[in-house]
Amino acid sequence: MIKSRHRKRQIRANGENGRYAHVTGWGVEVPERVLTNHDLEQMVDTSDEWIRERTGISERRIADDRDTAVTLGTRAARKALKHADILPDDLDLIIVATMSPVYLCPSTACLIQDQLGATRAGAFDLLAACSGFIYALSTAAGQIKSGMARTVLVIGTETLSRITDWSDRGTCILFADGAAAFVLQESDTPGGVREVVLHSDGSGGELLYVHSGARPTWNGAEAPASLINMNGRGVFRFAARVMSSATEEVVQQAGLTLNDIDVIVPHQANMRIIDAAMRSLKISSDRVVANIERYGNTSAASIPIAIVEAVENGQIKPNDRIVLVGFGGGLTWAAALLEWEVTPTPASYGRDVLREGLYILARVRSLINRMLRLLEALFFRAPSDRQPRQRAGTPAKPPQQDE
Ligand code: ACO
């Protein structure tokens, strides 16, 4: 029985006003560089055997120096737009889930918007750690079902390697980099994102945290650098509990039972957490998507990367009912029920060429806008600008075009 306090926050996702939010395009971008457990043996006091037994991870992808959450997210987004066969200008909204942005401001979403040339789109970042993708999916579906948006791009993108303490064997074996993007579009065909449950418990915030530049200190302790701090055992206990309860809750909210679900896509954090949750739900491993062995924990990107792989290898098929379930820092946890009713979009060479041309145009437009702002600053100074100002601090490097 779902408690009434949960009922209030339920997101009715079954198209009460005839609008449904379907996933119509997707794309994944993972860095080429592979970091194996054997590589980690050379860096910290650990072993391939320990990591595989305790986490299920064998290797993970690490971004090279040129890549950021923006560049990985942009490449994933372009693949998703191509798959959905839409143009950047078709986008009403871009939502990026990330806990490893290049800047707190501007948002990763705005920088990706600029790279895509999505001139009509609103753009913002959302931070719910590893539950971020489900939170973003839920926000996108809500916008579409309410009629406020027709086409939304949702991206989970992370370069966790940049905020990982590579001398801490308790965390550096887990985290990795990657990105995935989904296009969600309005449709009058029933299906798509049906139900979502979102939860949080800030009292567990100290179990997994990263200090911002504003550096609040937890319990008065001096803040270390902005790296992931984690109490692994605490997170493990919390995760094992909420993964199964959130799955049951979202299924129950849809008026279904676990037998009606074809595939479960859990957040890829630790194979032991996934196994424990699925055991308690009595779900056999053939109904569970797991790729943690090859990618490690990519936080907000983990669930969409796993979905896309499962779609491509046939584990998720058209008309399947799938449950996504995740947990993360915050603490946050969430689950979503999707009906995967994707109509394949016929490939169109002409639109491919047009999209590529528009991406080039987006770069040119961005450059021209920057130059115009420079000229504006030079020739149209406000009177107060002519007075020398006292500087309040060291100016930060402004966002670069490739970030
Ligand atoms: N190699 C070898 N030994 C290690 C390593 C390592 N990499 N890491 C820890 N150990 C040691 C510990 O020091 C400890 O030794 P001790 O008994 O002498 O003190 C022993 O192994 C056991 O340590 P535990 O922390 O109890 O190990 P556990 O089985 O809990 O595994 C792990 C640790 C893998 C971190 C696990 O707790 C875990 O996965 N927790 C969940 C973390 C998670 O999912 N985080 C992501 C959340 S999502 C997000 O928001 C980003």
Side-chain angles (χ1 to χ4, degrees):
M1 182 69 188
I2 300 165
K3 292 182 192 124
S4 58
R5 69 191 169 90
H6 290 162
R7 271 247 171 253
K8 275 193 295 187
R9 292 185 287 112
Q10 284 175 12
I11 290 152
R12 298 307 307 173
N14 40 4
E16 276 155 0
N17 45 18
R19 288 191 204 95
Y20 300 86
H22 283 263
V23 178
T24 57
W26 52 85
V28 161
E29 183 70 24
V30 289
E32 276 178 18
R33 186 178 158 212
V34 175
L35 185 75
T36 65
N37 291 348
H38 296 292
D39 295 329
L40 282 165
E41 286 173 351
Q42 313 303 314
M43 297 160 66
V44 287
D45 180 15
T46 190
S47 68
D48 172 53
E49 192 191 359
W50 192 97
I51 302 172
R52 276 191 289 107
E53 268 178 19
R54 300 289 182 119
T55 69
I57 302 169
S58 292
E59 59 184 44
R60 70 284 291 143
R61 302 299 181 96
I62 302 295
D64 70 25
D65 289 347
R66 284 162 304 168
D67 269 326
T68 65
V70 176
T71 60
L72 294 178
T74 301
R75 293 205 289 275
R78 286 183 181 183
K79 290 178 186 170
L81 263 59
K82 179 179 159 95
H83 194 278
D85 198 19
I86 60 166
L87 301 177
D89 265 354
D90 293 326
L91 294 173
D92 297 313
L93 185 62
I94 300 172
I95 308 175
V96 171
T98 184
M99 63 179 278
S100 48
V102 183
Y103 302 97
L104 289 178
C105 179
S107 68
T108 306
C110 278
L111 297 174
I112 293 178
Q113 174 275 332
D114 182 49
Q115 298 280 311
L116 295 176
T119 50
R120 288 184 48 254
F124 68 91
D125 284 4
L126 178 157
L127 205 166
C130 303
S131 315
F133 190 79
I134 300 178
Y135 269 68
L137 197 73
S138 144
T139 309
Q143 287 271 324
I144 290 173
K145 284 161 195 215
S146 67
M148 290 174 75
R150 301 190 70 167
T151 306
V152 183
L153 177 65
V154 176
I155 306 171
T157 180
E158 302 282 12
T159 44
L160 296 175
S161 61
R162 304 271 157 73
I163 55 167
T164 294
D165 178 351
W166 289 100
S167 64
D168 173 13
R169 66 179 183 171
T171 52
C172 75
I173 56 156
L174 298 172
F175 297 114
D177 303 336
F182 278 14
V183 171
L184 269 83
Q185 286 185 282
E186 183 196 296
S187 164
D188 54 11
T189 307
V193 183
R194 272 193 56 178
E195 300 287 339
V196 186
V197 291
L198 306 179
H199 290 292
S200 63
D201 177 6
S203 72
E206 76 269 29
L207 292 180
L208 196 159
Y209 65 90
V210 183
H211 282 283
S212 74
R215 291 279 180 93
T217 56
W218 213 287
N219 297 333
E222 187 47 43
S226 306
L227 301 174
I228 297 173
N229 287 267
M230 185 179 77
N231 171 340
R233 282 181 210 182
V235 174
F236 193 103
R237 281 193 296 273
F238 147 73
R241 201 170 55 243
V242 299
M243 289 284 267
S244 48
S245 66
T247 305
E248 279 176 328
E249 188 184 345
V250 81
V251 170
Q252 209 170 31
Q253 191 169 292
L256 301 170
T257 70
L258 286 170
N259 291 334
D260 300 313
I261 305 302
D262 299 289
V263 180
I264 311 262
V265 188
H267 169 45
Q268 310 288 306
N270 184 318
M271 202 57 218
R272 284 191 297 144
I273 295 175
I274 297 175
D275 285 343
M278 296 308 131
R279 239 189 342 266
S280 83
L281 293 168
K282 299 190 175 52
I283 290 177
S284 56
S285 58
D286 58 313
R287 289 164 68 200
V288 180
V289 176
N291 64 3
I292 187 170
E293 189 185 0
R294 284 170 292 118
Y295 294 119
N297 180 347
T298 56
S299 190
S302 102
I303 289 177
I305 291 175
I307 295 176
V308 174
E309 276 210 349
V311 169
E312 284 173 358
N313 70 23
Q315 194 179 357
I316 293 177
K317 296 173 283 305
N319 300 324
D320 272 356
R321 282 201 191 108
I322 65 176
V323 166
L324 327 180
V325 58
F327 65 91
L331 297 169
T332 56
W333 65 108
L337 196 151
L338 267 78
E339 283 174 7
W340 194 258
E341 300 189 37
V342 178
T343 340
T345 318
S348 135
Y349 178 71
R351 299 264 290 177
D352 275 357
V353 174
L354 178 59
R355 254 188 307 273
E356 291 308 316
L358 288 173
Y359 295 142
I360 295 168
L361 194 68
R363 303 301 294 263
V364 175
R365 186 194 295 117
S366 180
L367 200 70
I368 291 173
N369 282 345
R370 285 158 204 256
M371 282 166 57
L372 286 176
R373 268 186 214 106
L374 269 177
L375 289 174
E376 194 180 40
L378 277 176
F379 295 113
F380 301 103
R381 284 188 187 173
S384 59
D385 282 351
R386 296 199 185 102
Q387 306 299 323
R389 285 214 190 119
Q390 205 180 348
R391 299 176 88 88
T394 318
K397 188 170 141 286
Q400 298 301 301
Q401 207 171 1
D402 287 334
E403 288 174 344

